[in-house]
Amino acid sequence: MGSLARTFGGLSWLATVTADPRDAVRSKIYRSVATLYRIQGSLLGEQERALLRDVLQRLASQVDLSVRTAVARRVADDPHTPLDLVLVLADDHIELARPLILRSRCLTDTVLLKRAPGWDVPRRTFCAQRPHIGAAVTELLAEDDCESVLIALACNATATLQRTTYAKLVERSKLFPALQERLVRRPDLPPELAAEMHGWVSPELQLQLEYRHGFRFDVLTSRNTPRAQLVQDSESSCRLLEKLATANQLKPGVLLRALHQGQLEVFEFAFAKLLQIKYSQIRRVLYDGRAHNLAMACRAVGIDRSAFPTIYNLSCEARRMPSTLTPDDRAVSDAIFNSYSKAAALAYLQAY
């Protein structure tokens, strides 16, 4: 086995190490062997690499978890680590597997396709959370029967999900309501699959589908498959906002979205619903006093101070008014965000 075997004295040396009662000795040997493997593994022969793996596996149960986890984190961040070292550590305690499966560049999609089917649920879940996994891996994971794996995949914004993968996730979501919620939140959910889900998810999720994906669902069937038709008029959007408000699903984020889309009427209607005032009052509330009342309204519905200048500028542009906050306007808005609670701001506007 060459110089490495002579250095370690073969398996007789290993027996001596594992018999040593001192934890510090075992930990030091564990770190040293892992470092040697990580740095020089590509230069070693197969017998020498096998010896190093044997050392790590035998010492694993005798070395503190924190020591082994620290080694795994260093290995995960080294792109030159030998793949077999990554796999040995990934098969150890789940705390070692976490950083390796999530971060190691050695675990290419090709490797994951071979290894993931044999992993347990926590490891498959980490695989589903791994950034930028490709279409072949996501297709494999979408066939999983475990809820945590499917939810992790649906929540992975960087994963490549093709239509066939989405179709599998949608089908499995019939058994897992939590998976339905994650799929509904994805803006890239294919329209025909969103329409399919609309037929059997809860009323609350139906409303979210209608708003998030911008659809009016018409049950015009072709082989009993619903089709989605885009809604582009503000009247339809306001009806949808009415439904969202009734279901307590209307969120402040709709305000910026409406302004970015140039839908001033939708912006005003949504603000009226969030402030719980009549639509006939909204213009006076929002635009009398300009920055003062608009800042008060943003504070009342829980919009962050940092978003206020954007809302102010966009709402002014939509009304073809000067859209730059003056120093006085900034001072007024800062004072409101500093001095008023949400409840106090809401009470002020409802009495305005």
Side-chain angles (χ1 to χ4, degrees):
M1 291 188 288
S3 60
L4 182 63
R6 288 194 296 272
T7 300
F8 286 151
L11 294 179
S12 60
W13 169 85
L14 177 59
T16 301
V17 171
T18 55
D20 194 313
R22 292 172 295 174
D23 291 340
V25 171
R26 292 170 179 164
S27 296
K28 182 177 181 180
I29 294 296
Y30 185 92
R31 286 193 294 263
S32 298
V33 169
T35 300
L36 176 64
Y37 203 157
R38 179 173 60 86
I39 296 174
Q40 298 188 18
S42 61
L43 304 177
L44 302 176
E46 179 50 41
Q47 285 184 309
E48 293 170 320
R49 290 156 72 105
L51 176 60
L52 294 182
R53 290 196 296 272
D54 195 35
V55 172
L56 293 174
Q57 289 169 335
R58 290 186 182 227
L59 286 176
S61 62
Q62 303 172 52
V63 173
D64 189 83
L65 178 60
S66 63
V67 173
R68 287 145 53 210
T69 302
V71 168
R73 288 172 180 161
R74 176 164 292 186
V75 166
D77 294 326
D78 185 350
H80 304 296
T81 297
L83 174 61
D84 48 351
L85 173 58
V86 172
L87 295 176
V88 165
L89 297 179
D91 285 337
D92 195 348
H93 192 280
I94 192 63
E95 288 304 315
L96 278 73
R98 183 196 306 270
L100 291 163
I101 296 175
L102 288 176
R103 301 203 303 264
S104 176
R105 296 187 196 176
C106 299
L107 296 179
T108 63
D109 281 7
T110 300
V111 174
L112 293 173
L113 286 171
K114 295 178 181 177
R115 302 292 298 196
W119 279 337
D120 56 16
V121 170
R123 285 171 175 79
R124 298 201 309 275
T125 302
F126 295 150
C127 184
Q129 294 171 337
R130 182 180 170 88
H132 305 292
I133 46 177
V137 177
T138 61
E139 188 88 3
L140 172 69
L141 293 171
E143 297 174 354
D144 207 289
D145 292 325
C146 181
E147 183 178 20
S148 67
V149 175
L150 299 173
I151 289 177
L153 183 59
C155 291
N156 189 340
T158 66
T160 300
L161 301 182
Q162 296 182 330
R163 189 201 175 282
T164 52
T165 306
Y166 268 121
K168 291 177 181 179
L169 290 172
V170 167
E171 182 63 27
R172 279 162 172 69
S173 75
K174 293 177 180 178
L175 301 175
F176 304 118
L179 178 58
Q180 296 171 18
E181 295 178 14
R182 272 61 173 197
L183 288 173
V184 165
R185 293 175 190 168
R186 290 199 64 116
D188 54 348
L189 179 67
E192 64 276 14
L193 294 176
E196 180 182 327
M197 290 186 70
H198 187 269
W200 43 264
V201 296
S202 67
E204 292 79 10
L205 291 182
Q206 286 180 337
L207 290 173
Q208 290 188 40
L209 276 169
E210 292 170 11
Y211 180 71
R212 289 179 181 276
H213 298 276
F215 299 134
R216 179 177 71 247
F217 291 94
D218 297 324
V219 188
L220 304 174
T221 58
S222 172
R223 297 183 182 178
N224 296 321
T225 301
R227 296 188 300 173
Q229 183 177 6
L230 285 174
V231 177
Q232 297 183 354
D233 60 289
S234 60
E235 182 180 351
S236 296
S237 297
C238 289
R239 287 199 299 269
L240 175 56
L241 292 175
E242 182 79 54
K243 292 181 182 179
L244 287 168
T246 301
N248 198 31
Q249 295 291 318
L250 184 59
K251 306 300 181 184
V254 72
L255 301 171
L256 267 174
R257 189 177 307 177
L259 287 175
H260 278 300
Q261 295 174 351
Q263 295 180 303
L264 184 61
E265 182 181 352
V266 174
F267 166 75
E268 294 169 346
F269 186 86
F271 234 143
K273 289 298 179 183
L274 289 167
L275 294 172
Q276 301 175 36
I277 62 176
K278 294 180 180 179
Y279 182 65
S280 58
Q281 298 176 272
I282 192 63
R283 288 176 177 269
R284 179 167 57 87
V285 167
L286 290 182
Y287 308 134
D288 282 4
R290 299 189 62 196
H292 177 277
N293 281 3
L294 185 57
M296 193 74 76
C298 288
R299 182 71 182 115
V301 300
I303 290 173
D304 189 81
R305 173 202 306 257
S306 62
F308 171 71
T310 301
I311 288 182
Y312 178 87
N313 292 340
L314 289 174
S315 65
C316 288
E317 289 173 4
R319 292 178 289 129
R320 294 180 171 83
M321 295 179 63
S323 59
T324 301
L325 278 169
T326 66
D328 287 344
D329 289 334
R330 289 185 181 277
V332 167
S333 61
D334 286 344
I336 288 171
F337 279 98
N338 288 332
S339 304
Y340 280 80
S341 66
K342 287 175 58 177
L346 182 60
Y348 173 91
L349 291 172
Q350 289 175 339
Y352 188 78

